[in-house]
């Protein structure tokens, strides 16, 4: 999660919403991503999607079996859908997202899909939340 938080700061430096993601398999980093929808002119340029795409290329397989995705912000439904299709085993997120977070809003539960994915809010939640708060506060001023 520390690496994901550093990637979120990189996104912030680029004027993007500060979210970072790291895909791990067997305790090794497979790929990473940070929010880039503005710079890529791509509405799907979320940190999670970028990390999943890079992970699939690195593993030469669109199925990311037995992987864990660490992300600094609770994923939206689009990103959760990509995680389900990629068959990741586990998602660990930092800050909760009360506006569009798929887990906070009950948009995801295992009974809806033929895929089991462990979900937990993990370490550095407060740091990730504070980074987002200061980013949005600076945009309002």
């Amino acid at each position: 999660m520390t690496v994901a938080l550093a990637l979120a700061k990189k996104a912030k430096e680029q004027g993007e919403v500060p979210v970072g993601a790291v895909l791990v398999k067997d305790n090794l980093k497979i790929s990473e991503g940070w929010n880039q929808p503005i710079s890529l002119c791509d509405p799907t340029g979320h940190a999670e999607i970028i990390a999943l795409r890079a992970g699939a290329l690195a593993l030469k397989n669109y199925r990311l079996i037995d992987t864990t995705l660490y992300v600094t912000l609770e994923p939206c439904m689009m990103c959760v859908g990509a995680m389900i299709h990629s068959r990741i085993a586990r998602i660990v997120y930092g800050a909760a997202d009360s506006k569009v977070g798929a887990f906070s809003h009950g948009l995801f539960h295992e009974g809806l899909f033929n895929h089991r994915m462990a979900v937990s809010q993990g370490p550095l939640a407060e740091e990730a939340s504070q980074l987002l708060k200061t980013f949005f506060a600076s945009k309002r001023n």
Side-chain angles (χ1 to χ4, degrees), residues 26-112:
D26 299 325
N27 293 317
L28 297 172
K29 182 175 79 167
I30 302 301
S31 62
E32 62 186 31
W34 60 91
N35 265 11
Q36 299 176 65
I38 298 167
S39 58
L40 295 176
C41 295
D42 180 357
T44 67
H46 293 197
E48 302 94 311
I49 300 295
I50 292 169
L52 293 175
R53 286 177 179 159
L57 289 172
L59 296 175
K60 297 181 177 23
N61 193 339
Y62 73 106
R63 297 286 195 217
L64 302 172
I65 307 294
D66 297 325
T67 60
T68 298
L69 185 68
Y70 294 91
V71 62
T72 57
L73 179 64
E74 179 182 359
C76 69
M77 195 61 198
M78 174 188 71
C79 292
V80 170
M83 291 173 210
I84 291 165
H85 285 290
S86 67
R87 302 293 193 261
I88 68 165
R90 182 174 169 227
I91 171 75
V92 179
Y93 66 91
D97 187 341
S98 62
K99 292 186 179 180
V100 297
F103 305 117
S104 292
H105 286 77
L107 298 175
F108 171 83
H109 60 86
E110 287 185 7
L112 292 176

Side-chain angles (χ1 to χ4, degrees), residues 5 72-73 94-96 124-135:
L5 196 56
T72 57
L73 179 64
L124 302 179
E126 184 56 39
E127 291 88 336
S129 179
Q130 193 58 45
L131 182 62
L132 287 157
K133 286 177 186 174
T134 57
F135 174 80

